[in-house]
Amino acid sequence: RSAKVTTISSQSKRDIVNLNGCHENHVVVVPIFVSENFVPPSVETKNEKFVILHVGTKANKNLSRTIKAVAKLNCKLNIVGRLNQRQLTELKELNIDFENFIDATEDQLITIYQQSDMLSFVSLEEGFGLPILEAQRSGLPVMTSQIAAMPETAGEGALLVDPFKIDAIREGIQTIMAEEDFRQSLIQRGFEN
């Protein structure tokens, strides 16, 4: 009965139209914005290991494949969100260097972004993907999924990979870790996005 429905992405709009049967002209996309508090660090610091940020621990966040992708890479995984026992076991069994952040405030989250070297956001499903914009505003190179709303949210400012393929995730991480020029171009395009 509504005259208009607002949603956060073209992907969500398609889902609403397909599930509801309403006409697409009744659904308007109003993207989310990211807080202006997300900014690059004022002083650049060099981490002992390359730090990969992963935001979210629910099933759609694809943490298990990310864990397998970083196994045997010289990096540290910063994970935002409460880990379940299966995830903790997997991290331990694969000997992953990680730090876990639970119930982070916005200020803490900003610091976590600033202390990371890249964002790996290879979700299997997202209606928008706000961590992509938070990372881009924070001056991080972003790797995200080539599916759902993530390409739309990331614009030209991310490396897109197949989130179902562990090798593709690993290769994306290795590319960002190894190629300084590519990393800087992702950062610049992220700021523009």
Side-chain angles (χ1 to χ4, degrees), residues 22-82:
C22 64
H23 193 277
E24 66 179 30
N25 291 344
H26 292 281
V27 184
V28 179
V29 176
V30 181
I32 301 173
F33 66 91
V34 64
S35 168
E36 292 181 353
N37 295 330
F38 285 87
V39 294
S42 55
V43 177
E44 192 172 324
T45 58
K46 184 78 172 144
N47 291 316
E48 216 173 281
K49 286 185 175 180
F50 194 84
V51 178
I52 301 166
L53 176 59
H54 181 98
V55 179
T57 56
K58 292 182 180 176
N60 68 304
K61 302 300 184 181
N62 207 17
L63 178 57
S64 181
R65 285 188 182 93
T66 300
I67 291 168
K68 291 174 181 136
V70 302
K72 299 184 181 167
L73 295 180
N74 185 26
C75 63
K76 177 182 173 189
L77 196 56
N78 278 350
I79 304 167
V80 175
R82 191 170 305 279

Side-chain angles (χ1 to χ4, degrees), residues 161-179:
V161 299
D162 184 338
F164 295 98
K165 295 183 178 174
I166 294 166
D167 288 343
I169 298 168
R170 182 182 298 112
E171 288 168 16
I173 291 169
Q174 288 174 314
T175 299
I176 291 173
M177 286 175 70
E179 298 181 20

Side-chain angles (χ1 to χ4, degrees), residues 109-126:
L109 196 55
I110 289 166
T111 300
I112 294 165
Y113 276 95
Q114 291 177 344
Q115 293 174 346
S116 299
D117 293 308
M118 73 169 282
L119 173 71
S120 175
F121 193 72
V122 290
S123 294
L124 303 175
E125 180 62 40
E126 291 290 336

